[in-house]
Amino acid sequence: KNQVEQSPQSLIILEGKNCTLQCNYTVSPFSNLRWYKQDTGRGPVSLTIMTFSENTKSNGRYTATLDADTKQSSLHITASQLSDSASYICVVAGSNYQLIWGAGTKLIIKP
Amino acid sequence: EADIYQTPRYLVIGTGKKITLECSQTMGHDKMYWYQQDPGMELHLIHYSYGVNSTEKGDLSSESTVSRIRTEHFPLTLESARPSHTSQYLCASSEWGEGSYNEQFFGPGTRLTVL
């Protein structure tokens, strides 16, 4: 069964600290993997999209990694800011661009 | 400015009412989607459309219906709302075709509460 699992479910860190969010998937065939940021009560916003051949992609303070062999991805946030408080969702595109959505990691940044 | 719009943002209604959630995009995209999301849960695709006069059901069964008469407009209708329809409804759009990531751009969502 195609699945995307994210950990941790929630995370609280202090402003200025770094953190890493994890995503494991069992989607096959694999087309690409996306990370979205979703603020409370808003729609998701794309952070990165990675294909099979890409193993690192950055967007400002966000760096995503992909290991297609182990079917794992991570999202690293550097020097966190209060505005980083949100849910971060891992999404894997399979055949015919069908998207399999993870449940997200809720990140809270405390001052 | 290219964007995707949803109205209303919040809606509280009584059981049995007919409602229509509006979604419009100025992105120039062919493909549009409707998702349902409960708090703290993943998004579930309920409807999508490849273009005008095209509508398809998504992975999650839904009592709602959609129409696509104009490229930029993709409204969702519930004929008789029930408390089980209480949820957040998100509209999205994307390009469609080979060579494209089909990256989806989302509207702000409509939070529906049925009493």
Side-chain angles (χ1 to χ4, degrees):
Chain A
K1 180 183 177 185
N2 288 331
Q3 277 187 315
V4 174
E5 295 189 352
Q6 294 187 244
S7 61
Q9 195 171 18
S10 62
L11 181 62
I12 301 173
I13 63 171
L14 292 175
E15 185 180 11
K17 298 295 186 183
N18 303 336
C19 67
T20 299
L21 314 180
Q22 301 290 344
C23 173
N24 295 338
Y25 62 92
T26 58
V27 179
S28 182
F30 172 90
S31 178
N32 58 66
L33 184 144
R34 310 142 186 238
W35 283 94
Y36 281 89
K37 178 186 179 187
Q38 184 176 23
D39 292 318
T40 301
R42 308 288 297 183
V45 174
S46 179
L47 294 175
T48 63
I49 298 178
M50 289 186 292
T51 61
F52 184 89
S53 59
E54 296 172 298
N55 53 24
T56 301
K57 205 158 199 178
S58 292
N59 178 359
R61 294 179 296 102
Y62 301 101
T63 300
T65 64
L66 173 64
D67 185 335
D69 291 331
T70 61
K71 298 189 177 180
Q72 295 180 326
S73 176
S74 66
L75 181 69
H76 185 76
I77 304 174
T78 303
S80 61
Q81 300 175 359
L82 296 178
S83 59
D84 292 331
S85 293
S87 286
Y88 291 84
I89 307 173
C90 176
V91 188
V92 179
S95 60
N96 296 320
Y97 299 102
Q98 178 194 21
L99 298 186
I100 312 300
W101 292 77
T105 292
K106 182 165 180 155
L107 177 64
I108 297 172
I109 311 296
K110 293 210 161 187
Chain B
E1 181 182 338
D3 210 339
I4 181 162
Y5 307 92
Q6 289 188 245
T7 57
R9 290 293 319 280
Y10 304 92
L11 181 61
V12 181
I13 60 166
T15 296
K17 299 292 185 183
K18 177 181 178 179
I19 61 166
T20 296
L21 308 184
E22 300 289 347
C23 175
S24 294
Q25 52 100 359
T26 56
M27 311 284 288
H29 289 159
D30 289 321
K31 200 168 180 186
M32 296 187 73
Y33 315 76
W34 275 104
Y35 289 88
Q36 186 174 340
Q37 183 183 30
D38 293 326
M41 303 296 288
E42 62 264 48
L43 276 71
H44 291 285
L45 181 67
I46 50 175
H47 298 284
Y48 61 99
S49 166
Y50 289 101
V52 171
N53 294 327
S54 155
T55 60
E56 304 284 345
K57 290 189 179 296
D59 308 319
L60 181 68
S61 176
S62 173
E63 294 168 349
S64 58
T65 59
V66 293
S67 62
R68 189 89 183 272
I69 299 172
R70 302 197 321 261
T71 300
E72 62 273 17
H73 194 214
F74 191 41
L76 180 146
T77 299
L78 274 167
E79 290 292 332
S80 179
R82 296 206 301 269
S84 60
H85 296 138
T86 294
S87 189
Q88 167 137 326
Y89 292 84
L90 292 160
C91 181
S93 71
S94 73
E95 293 180 339
W96 177 247
E98 288 189 33
S100 156
Y101 284 128
N102 301 298
E103 180 180 355
Q104 295 184 16
F105 295 85
F106 284 82
T110 294
R111 177 155 300 281
L112 172 66
T113 302
V114 184
L115 304 174

